[in-house]
Amino acid sequence: MSTERRLSEEPREFGFDTRQLHAGQRPDPNTGARAVPIFQTTSYVFEDPESAGAYFNLQEYGNTYSRIMNPTVAVFEERVGNLEGAAGGVAFASGIAAQTAALFTLLEPGDHVVSSAALYGGTVNQFKHLLRKLNVELTWVDPDDPAAWREAVRPNTKAFFGETIGNPAGNVLDIEALATVAHDHELPLIVDNTFATPYLCRPIEWGADIVIHSATKFLGGHGTSIGGVVCEAGTFNWSNGRFPVVASPSPAYHGLQFHETFGMYGYLMKLRAESLRDLGAALSPFNAFLFLQGIETLSLRMERHVVNALAVAEFLESHELTSNVTYPGLPRSRYAPLVEKYLPLGAGAVFSFDCAGGREGGQDLIRNVSLWSHLANVGDAKSLIIHPASTTHRQLSDAELAAAGVGPGTIRLSVGTESVDDLIWDLDQALDRVR
Ligand code: PLP
């Protein structure tokens, strides 16, 4: 046997750039198609009643119905799970649906969640209203203060929740410190990694148990589709006595004990077989296909996003009409040590700043930009701009706005991959008009 052959037979850990193109997929065995085919089908023909029964009993893993699983969606799930270093993933129709399902799977009425107060406004709304309707209590804590998280734990606490890079305050979560506090209390740490993407940070490597994405943002990367995904490390002990909802026989699945039966895949199986089945927020195969196109270039885009974001942040920091530039990648940022630890390749591309003139100044700036698109999204290859107090964070009280780091003149940017000089030129001329 030649040396060359022996080497190629050694198991190899492929790099991120390779896995973002290949993980979870082989060329289609029936057609040879190299791209991931779009399996636009609701259902799958069973071979016989016995195999159909085995699928529905979860004794064998096979396609049944596209609300629960689909081969195109499965490649997307496996690819994100792989890039995050997770046991696997389950996709949803949106990022919000993903976090609803992630929590539904482990919560019961009467439970309690501890959450960072600096979150995407839609998540704040969801937690405040939906969780209350489900009789789940919530404590908001300062994301920067691990002691506050520890003090907030109660006997009925079931999870910690935070964003790797907060939207839009740009705070960086001390994932390792919070995972330690969570695990001291036998709780899972859930991290929304939307703004960092697995290219810039993999929370599981720092102790997080569940990672959530709005794939709508950088994973898709082109502003075409809404979707989300939940990944789980597969290492959390759901049988520690605190989570009968995951570990005990499930009345919603004829008495199946998910953790005991599926071990490291127990939570993910329950997430799919019960939460996705019952909430019904399935990702469409076409959107999964578009997300896969985006992920193929994730690292390349993120490299440009972070270079452009830093240049725009530096420009704004030096401008006399702007203040409070929250880009955590700036050397003077209070988060610089956390960026060095968790985000060594760059601190993402979404941040905010305050425009002189308060609400009117901020709105004037938005009126006068031409290249930046005024819209409610982030993570597009194109540069985006918005005034959170009148849009994404509109439902929040003043106190909640302040906790989320949003002032009346705050502007949020999602810096795209255009020629950075053009982006700075456009902001500069718009600021001149504010003046
Ligand atoms: N998480 C973060 C950090 C977000 O910014 C968003 C949306 O902006 C979401 C979750 C919700 O995702 P989706 O809009 O895909 O439901």
Side-chain angles (χ1 to χ4, degrees):
M1 195 191 283
S2 74
T3 314
E4 197 184 324
R5 177 146 175 75
R6 273 206 306 277
L7 279 179
S8 71
E9 279 174 0
E10 280 173 16
R12 182 170 171 85
E13 282 273 308
F14 287 118
F16 191 97
D17 295 326
T18 304
R19 290 181 288 125
Q20 73 184 2
L21 286 154
H22 293 277
Q25 188 225 359
R26 285 177 197 282
D28 183 59
N30 297 322
T31 62
R34 175 65 271 194
V36 177
I38 302 172
F39 288 95
Q40 194 67 37
T41 182
T42 57
S43 32
Y44 309 85
V45 177
F46 303 122
E47 276 172 30
D48 49 50
E50 290 73 27
S51 56
Y55 292 166
F56 278 89
N57 267 346
L58 301 181
Q59 287 159 328
E60 275 178 43
Y61 203 71
N63 293 313
T64 53
Y65 189 56
S66 284
R67 170 153 42 82
I68 298 157
M69 56 181 75
N70 170 281
T72 312
V73 176
V75 177
F76 166 68
E77 293 171 334
E78 209 168 310
R79 190 156 302 170
V80 181
N82 178 296
L83 295 177
E84 283 290 0
V90 178
F92 291 87
S94 68
I96 282 286
Q99 60 202 35
T100 308
L103 289 170
F104 262 48
T105 304
L106 57 85
L107 292 177
E108 288 179 290
D111 284 345
H112 171 245
V113 173
V114 180
S115 173
S116 158
L119 299 178
Y120 162 57
T123 307
V124 173
N125 271 329
Q126 185 198 36
F127 283 9
K128 217 170 78 176
H129 303 291
L130 187 74
L131 291 187
R132 191 190 299 145
K133 270 192 197 164
L134 300 170
N135 195 23
V136 171
E137 298 172 304
L138 187 82
T139 302
W140 299 114
V141 287
D142 175 353
D144 300 341
D145 181 6
W149 295 71
R150 193 180 289 279
E151 280 159 27
V153 175
R154 303 179 192 166
N156 59 341
T157 303
K158 293 297 164 73
F160 281 8
F161 188 98
E163 292 174 357
T164 312
I165 304 172
N167 174 5
N171 54 294
V172 177
L173 206 64
D174 192 345
I175 301 169
E176 193 172 34
L178 296 184
T180 302
V181 178
H183 295 163
D184 284 350
H185 295 90
E186 301 192 299
L187 299 171
L189 172 63
I190 307 176
V191 175
D192 179 337
N193 198 32
T194 299
F195 277 18
T197 80
Y199 180 65
L200 300 179
C201 178
R202 288 170 297 282
I204 287 172
E205 290 175 3
W206 300 102
D209 302 285
I210 296 174
V211 173
I212 297 178
H213 281 279
S214 166
T216 315
K217 318 299 178 195
F218 294 99
L219 292 184
H222 298 84
T224 61
S225 320
I226 304 279
V229 59
V230 180
C231 301
E232 201 228 353
T235 48
F236 188 77
N237 178 17
W238 298 101
S239 300
N240 64 14
R242 268 186 112 103
F243 294 92
V245 70
V246 182
S248 298
S250 170
Y253 220 99
H254 48 68
L256 189 66
Q257 286 177 273
F258 278 90
H259 192 225
E260 189 184 285
T261 309
F262 299 110
M264 67 186 288
Y265 300 105
Y267 171 86
L268 287 169
M269 286 297 279
K270 188 178 169 77
L271 180 67
R272 181 186 304 283
E274 288 187 3
S275 304
L276 180 55
R277 177 196 68 182
D278 297 344
L279 292 168
L283 181 67
S284 87
F286 185 63
N287 284 2
F289 171 82
L290 290 174
F291 290 144
L292 285 163
Q293 303 312 298
I295 291 171
E296 290 199 351
T297 57
L298 180 64
S299 62
L300 310 177
R301 286 184 289 107
M302 294 314 292
E303 277 169 11
R304 174 65 80 87
H305 275 297
V306 298
V307 168
N308 281 5
L310 182 59
V312 170
E314 279 170 346
F315 161 75
L316 290 169
E317 203 178 38
S318 67
H319 201 285
E320 70 214 42
L321 291 184
T322 62
S323 59
N324 197 21
V325 182
T326 64
Y327 188 54
L330 284 169
R332 63 138 187 92
S333 165
R334 58 188 285 217
Y335 295 107
L338 293 178
V339 169
E340 199 181 323
K341 177 172 177 176
Y342 296 112
L343 298 156
L345 298 180
V350 183
F351 61 92
S352 62
F353 64 94
D354 290 339
C355 183
R359 186 174 288 262
E360 273 178 34
Q363 290 180 344
D364 261 357
L365 176 74
I366 282 181
R367 266 184 220 110
N368 286 308
V369 286
S370 57
L371 187 55
W372 294 73
S373 302
H374 177 210
L375 54 79
N377 192 24
V378 297
D380 195 323
K382 300 174 194 72
S383 288
L384 316 174
I385 189 166
I386 202 161
H387 181 234
S390 50
T391 54
T392 52
H393 288 61
R394 199 182 182 92
Q395 272 83 30
L396 274 57
S397 69
D398 285 354
E400 287 167 342
L401 280 178
V406 176
T410 297
I411 297 288
R412 184 187 71 190
L413 300 180
S414 175
V415 183
T417 59
E418 296 95 337
S419 305
V420 71
D421 291 348
D422 296 337
L423 297 176
I424 291 174
W425 161 82
D426 195 26
L427 288 173
D428 196 28
Q429 63 80 23
L431 281 164
D432 266 353
R433 293 181 194 208
V434 170
R435 200 193 310 266

